[in-house]
Amino acid sequence: GPSSAQPEAEDIIKYRNAVMKAYAGHMGASARIVRGKVDIYKNQLGMHASSMDAIAKTIGDLFPPDSDFGETRAKPEVWENADEYAKAVKSNQDAAANFSKAAAGGDMAAIGESFKALSDTCKSCHEKFRTEDE
């Protein structure tokens, strides 16, 4: 029968999905600000950037053992290639910290460069460790 760990793992997966959706929401809002689409919210970029910095610091903890089934888009490679996954997480964490620092500084060139670098780390990790949208 089902183990007592299953409900906990399912809750972990739901939590992970919610956290990653929040991260994606901050990315989407930041992209619109960085691209000049919503200048009236430019003063909120720092909040989005610091939120992503904080969330990025937790991403590595969101994929514990036994959370590799059910309603998840995480590929088995997250657990099978843990060292490579850890490097991808670290790259994202560094990029998020750099973006947050740039956003606080206000230099739009640095903001744009650091946002692109952050976006690239997200894309790279998704390509290796997440299944495609259906």
Side-chain angles (χ1 to χ4, degrees), residues 47-66:
M47 177 271 298
H48 291 295
S50 64
S51 295
M52 286 188 290
D53 185 22
I55 292 170
K57 291 173 182 165
T58 72
I59 290 175
D61 297 331
L62 297 177
F63 297 84
D66 299 324

Side-chain angles (χ1 to χ4, degrees), residues 35 45 82 124 126:
R35 294 178 184 140
L45 183 61
S124 175
H126 288 182

Side-chain angles (χ1 to χ4, degrees), residues 29-49 99 102-109 111-112:
S30 295
R32 285 161 186 79
I33 295 168
V34 169
R35 294 178 184 140
K37 302 291 185 185
V38 289
D39 283 339
I40 63 170
Y41 299 117
K42 196 173 185 177
N43 65 330
Q44 295 180 13
L45 183 61
M47 177 271 298
H48 291 295
F99 178 57
D107 176 343
M108 286 309 292
I111 289 169

Side-chain angles (χ1 to χ4, degrees), residues 4-28:
S4 61
Q6 278 183 320
E8 183 179 328
E10 289 171 4
D11 286 333
I12 287 170
I13 293 165
K14 288 176 183 176
Y15 177 82
R16 174 171 68 220
N17 289 342
V19 171
M20 297 306 279
K21 283 179 184 174
Y23 195 83
H26 288 294
M27 280 294 292

Side-chain angles (χ1 to χ4, degrees), residues 99-127:
F99 178 57
S100 185
K101 186 184 294 185
D107 176 343
M108 286 309 292
I111 289 169
E113 288 174 21
S114 62
F115 183 77
K116 180 171 181 347
L118 175 58
S119 180
D120 288 348
T121 67
C122 294
K123 182 179 179 185
S124 175
C125 193
H126 288 182
E127 287 173 352

